[in-house]
Amino acid sequence: MYWNKSYECMPREKLQELQLERLKRMVNRIYHDVPFYRNKFQEKGLLPEDVKSLEDLQKLPFTTKVDLRDNYPYGLFTVPLEQIVRIHASSGTTGKPTVVGYTRNDISMWSELMARCLVAAGAGPHSVIQNAYGYGLFTGGLGVHYGAERLGASIIPISGGNTAKQIMIMQDFGSTVLTCTPSYAIYLAEVLAEAGIDPASLKIQAGIFGAEPWSENIRKDIEKKLKIKAYDIYGLSEIMGPGVAIECECQDGLHVWEDHFIPEIIDPVTLKVLPYGQQGELVITTITKEGIPILRYRTRDITTIKPEPCACGRTHLRISRLQGRTDDMLIIRGVNVFPTQIESVLLEIGEVEPHYQLVVRRDGSLDTLEIKVELSEALFSDRISNLENLEKRIRDRIQSTIGISAKVALVEPKSLPRSEGKSQRVVDLRKI
Amino acid sequence: MIRQVSIFIENHEGRLNHILKILAENKINIRSLNIADATDFGIVRLILQETEKGIEVLKKNDIITTVTPVLAAEISDDPGGLSTLVDALTQAKINIVYAYSFLPKKTDNAIIIIRVDDEVQQKAIETLEKVAKINLLDRETLLLK
């Protein structure tokens, strides 16, 4: 089943013609409308006319999360705010979030692509979609929501959390599709089992899970426990939000909607483009977005491009399941967490540069974050309650700035590893 | 007023021993020990025979320490002895943050170490000495062997 067969199954030659035409138009627009891109082109001695083929994309400059932060909040928008109808934001590497804006056409494009994703995962107008992605600045909730409305399915905008209610609604409303993070899906399955509810008694048939990395084993686990088919979805707010890529019924790689995005894989060290099939960092160019078109965005996600034709009939390239990150970003319960954000919080509280370590564990099905902080003499007090208050202050601040609950443990000075490498800052004990 | 050494330690095996060994190697005698524990950490409170030297060697070993002023009150080692002291502070509306006993060598009386908030310390001293007629020991007397 397809939502838009003529585009989803477009012969590759035609698809590439379309991409080139759209890429040229996009490059022209950002060169003329965004000083940031014009400067970058000029530094490299490039003009928009230098883009004559899709291969020429490789000559063009990259965009990074730091560029978005440096142009915070609206510096990379190509249209005035009166044409922006929605603003989303995701975690930045420090205190400030990464901000993206959508025109009416952008929302329409996003809805279209999300509708394609839902159909690829077996949904249709008859589906009842229980959307347990968070609604808010995070793109997950509203992204799925608009796609479901475009498709004509019945969307239940329950948002994340409140597990008892999720289960009641799943039972009473007859939800057929569940959308949430994979770890929340496992959690729901466990709660169902504890409550003695047989998933076979529910109408749920499929789940569309994303916003955090997960493995084939977790898929099997979810499929067995919930008695559904589980599909991987990929997206990021800088590019659009959920729906940049989706698995089809073959469940073997995620189709990237190439009529709107051009994916490349680069070596994160040499920055050279790698041939199809080789693992590297995923780079995406948006070729139709109006609000904030992004040229060669370095996603930091590690994957490979699978060029082989897919049995489903879609001609769009597939990327394999994400293999990891090239930076130290952690995804904890669907929330992006950068160690540098934690560092900013600790700097605000302490008087000296903090030494800290993040320990991520998977307790049952839920990820937990522990922040070990070396106590300094300046913050030491002879009273237990003062130290416990200090832990609480850090915890509350992390909760309010990053939106994640963490356990804070004060440790002795010089007890944490000192090596320069960022890897020492993060101990990820999760097995995914 | 007695200068107590307060030390931050993580609450797991070996940490207390680490501190005790540093003091032993430097031949610093511990005259009293009290441990307060939270979930992940604890505070070890020591009265040392040689306070300054003790702090110096602990800091040299990257151990977080602070000096806390405490009172050493001498009370009769009889039923009701401690109650007289607590009564006096209660009537003066002075809160005891923590207290523990000290094993004296030169007296048959009992000695209680008391920590009150800094801002009411002077008031506590006056209350105990003048109202309750309790003897507060200075450092030399307390640490007599």
Side-chain angles (χ1 to χ4, degrees):
Chain A
M1 283 294 287
Y2 313 105
W3 170 249
N4 189 338
K5 190 176 178 193
S6 60
Y7 278 93
E8 292 178 53
C9 303
M10 186 180 278
R12 283 209 64 80
E13 210 170 290
K14 269 192 78 181
L15 184 57
Q16 283 166 348
E17 268 172 40
L18 180 68
Q19 282 186 318
L20 181 58
E21 179 201 320
R22 288 179 167 179
L23 174 66
K24 283 179 177 173
R25 212 183 308 151
M26 179 265 189
V27 167
N28 237 310
R29 200 167 60 239
I30 57 171
Y31 183 86
H32 289 109
D33 295 348
V34 189
F36 163 80
Y37 283 115
R38 189 160 55 245
N39 291 339
K40 278 203 162 187
F41 272 63
Q42 285 170 349
E43 275 168 27
K44 291 190 159 220
L46 289 168
L47 287 169
E49 299 85 81
D50 291 328
V51 179
K52 296 188 175 72
S53 68
L54 285 177
E55 285 68 47
D56 289 335
L57 179 61
Q58 300 184 13
K59 295 190 235 163
L60 303 183
F62 293 105
T63 309
T64 64
K65 207 170 179 69
V66 173
D67 294 327
L68 286 162
R69 185 192 63 197
D70 290 347
N71 293 280
Y72 175 87
Y74 302 143
L76 295 187
F77 287 19
T78 44
V79 297
L81 272 187
E82 67 241 40
Q83 290 179 39
I84 295 290
V85 299
R86 173 114 55 90
I87 293 169
H88 279 289
S90 70
S91 312
T93 47
T94 56
K96 296 285 186 190
T98 302
V99 183
V100 289
Y102 303 75
T103 63
R104 208 173 288 283
N105 284 338
D106 290 338
I107 295 290
S108 173
M109 177 269 277
W110 187 8
S111 309
E112 149 82 18
L113 298 189
M114 200 51 234
R116 289 188 198 173
C117 290
L118 291 167
V119 172
H126 55 278
S127 297
V128 178
I129 300 176
Q130 181 162 340
N131 187 15
Y133 282 116
Y135 281 68
L137 281 179
F138 172 58
T139 49
L142 285 170
V144 171
H145 186 102
Y146 274 62
E149 287 193 350
R150 172 67 63 93
L151 171 62
S154 313
I155 180 99
I156 306 171
I158 184 165
S159 198
N162 202 345
T163 306
K165 198 169 177 185
Q166 299 275 3
I167 288 174
M168 181 194 84
I169 282 181
M170 204 176 277
Q171 286 182 300
D172 298 352
F173 292 18
S175 312
T176 59
V177 177
L178 172 67
T179 53
C180 61
T181 60
S183 53
Y184 192 62
I186 296 193
Y187 181 67
L188 273 176
E190 284 167 2
V191 176
L192 279 174
E194 277 168 27
I197 299 166
D198 178 6
S201 70
L202 301 170
K203 294 201 170 137
I204 194 100
Q205 289 162 351
I208 301 173
F209 307 123
E212 64 186 24
W214 51 310
S215 64
E216 200 53 39
N217 281 339
I218 294 186
R219 187 216 301 276
K220 283 186 189 132
D221 201 34
I222 294 175
E223 292 194 331
K224 202 175 98 195
K225 285 182 174 154
L226 283 177
K227 300 197 168 74
I228 59 171
K229 273 194 92 168
Y231 298 91
D232 195 3
I233 187 167
Y234 176 74
L236 60 169
S237 65
E238 293 88 340
I239 294 304
M240 179 178 80
V244 173
I246 183 82
E247 282 182 333
C248 59
E249 69 265 26
C250 303
Q251 292 180 310
D252 181 23
L254 295 79
H255 292 278
V256 180
W257 300 122
E258 283 186 278
D259 48 338
H260 296 275
F261 311 111
I262 302 181
E264 300 170 272
I265 298 290
I266 62 161
D267 178 323
V269 180
T270 65
L271 305 184
K272 293 268 176 274
V273 173
L274 297 173
Y276 289 164
Q278 278 196 32
Q279 183 172 302
E281 178 180 339
L282 178 64
V283 168
I284 302 178
T285 298
T286 69
I287 48 176
T288 56
K289 213 155 61 139
E290 296 178 341
I292 177 167
I294 301 271
L295 185 63
R296 305 192 81 198
Y297 186 70
R298 293 191 56 188
T299 65
R300 308 283 172 179
D301 288 317
I302 297 171
T303 182
T304 50
I305 288 181
K306 298 154 70 84
E308 306 82 17
C310 183
C312 74
R314 289 178 184 83
T315 53
H316 297 232
L317 290 175
R318 284 170 293 162
I319 52 172
S320 60
R321 270 172 178 289
L322 301 192
Q323 307 294 312
R325 301 268 309 171
T326 64
D327 62 7
D328 48 4
M329 185 179 92
L330 292 161
I331 303 178
I332 299 167
R333 300 196 290 271
V335 179
N336 297 352
V337 179
F338 288 94
T340 42
Q341 292 175 298
I342 309 257
E343 192 168 310
S344 315
V345 169
L346 295 175
L347 272 170
E348 280 170 37
I349 285 172
E351 292 173 11
V352 284
E353 181 161 0
H355 290 285
Y356 64 92
Q357 190 176 49
L358 309 182
V359 184
V360 194
R361 294 187 181 85
R362 182 153 286 166
D363 274 349
S365 60
L366 277 192
D367 295 342
T368 62
L369 171 65
E370 181 184 27
I371 306 170
K372 293 185 173 178
V373 189
E374 283 186 10
L375 187 63
S376 65
E377 205 151 284
L379 291 174
F380 178 50
S381 155
D382 172 51
R383 294 180 70 163
I384 292 276
S385 58
N386 287 354
L387 294 177
E388 283 176 340
N389 277 340
L390 175 63
E391 287 184 336
K392 185 176 180 301
R393 243 165 57 217
I394 298 173
R395 208 164 53 232
D396 290 350
R397 197 92 188 93
I398 299 277
Q399 174 78 57
S400 63
T401 55
I402 309 175
I404 185 153
S405 60
K407 175 179 187 267
V408 174
L410 297 174
V411 300
E412 290 171 36
K414 307 223 168 138
S415 63
L416 297 176
R418 277 298 185 277
S419 107
E420 289 298 303
K422 63 190 177 189
S423 56
Q424 299 289 335
R425 287 258 153 116
V426 176
V427 180
D428 197 337
L429 301 171
R430 292 176 293 187
K431 288 196 182 66
I432 60 159
Chain B
M1 198 106 70
I2 309 297
R3 302 176 77 222
Q4 169 200 270
V5 178
S6 306
I7 302 164
F8 175 82
I9 60 167
E10 282 173 47
N11 195 358
H12 54 79
E13 72 285 355
R15 298 317 301 163
L16 178 62
N17 203 20
H18 177 63
I19 287 161
L20 298 181
K21 275 193 171 145
I22 292 168
L23 293 172
E25 278 161 16
N26 288 280
K27 304 202 171 3
I28 294 164
N29 194 23
I30 297 169
R31 294 302 303 278
S32 88
L33 165 96
N34 169 269
I35 302 175
D37 68 305
T39 318
D40 303 308
F41 61 84
I43 298 173
V44 177
R45 298 172 180 135
L46 303 175
I47 293 176
L48 301 175
Q49 193 72 37
E50 293 164 279
T51 308
E52 291 312 320
K53 193 177 162 202
I55 292 170
E56 193 191 316
V57 298
L58 289 171
K59 286 197 175 178
K60 220 179 265 174
N61 283 280
D62 294 314
I63 288 164
I64 292 188
T65 62
T66 186
V67 171
T68 315
V70 291
L71 305 176
E74 187 173 4
I75 51 175
S76 68
D77 191 4
D78 293 305
L82 182 57
S83 162
T84 318
L85 179 151
V86 177
D87 264 351
L89 292 177
T90 307
Q91 299 224 347
K93 296 198 188 318
I94 294 170
N95 181 45
I96 298 174
V97 178
Y98 55 80
Y100 55 92
S101 56
F102 182 96
L103 218 56
K105 297 211 168 163
K106 292 285 180 191
T107 168
D108 290 335
N109 285 333
I111 295 174
I112 295 292
I113 306 291
I114 307 159
R115 165 73 176 148
V116 296
D117 282 321
D118 288 341
E119 53 279 17
V120 292
Q121 188 138 35
Q122 209 46 49
K123 191 177 166 197
I125 292 171
E126 281 164 24
T127 304
L128 292 175
E129 287 183 330
K130 293 182 184 148
V131 182
K133 307 287 180 214
I134 286 173
N135 187 25
L136 294 179
L137 302 179
D138 61 17
R139 182 180 159 79
E140 285 70 34
T141 322
L142 179 72
L143 298 182
L144 273 180
K145 286 202 186 179

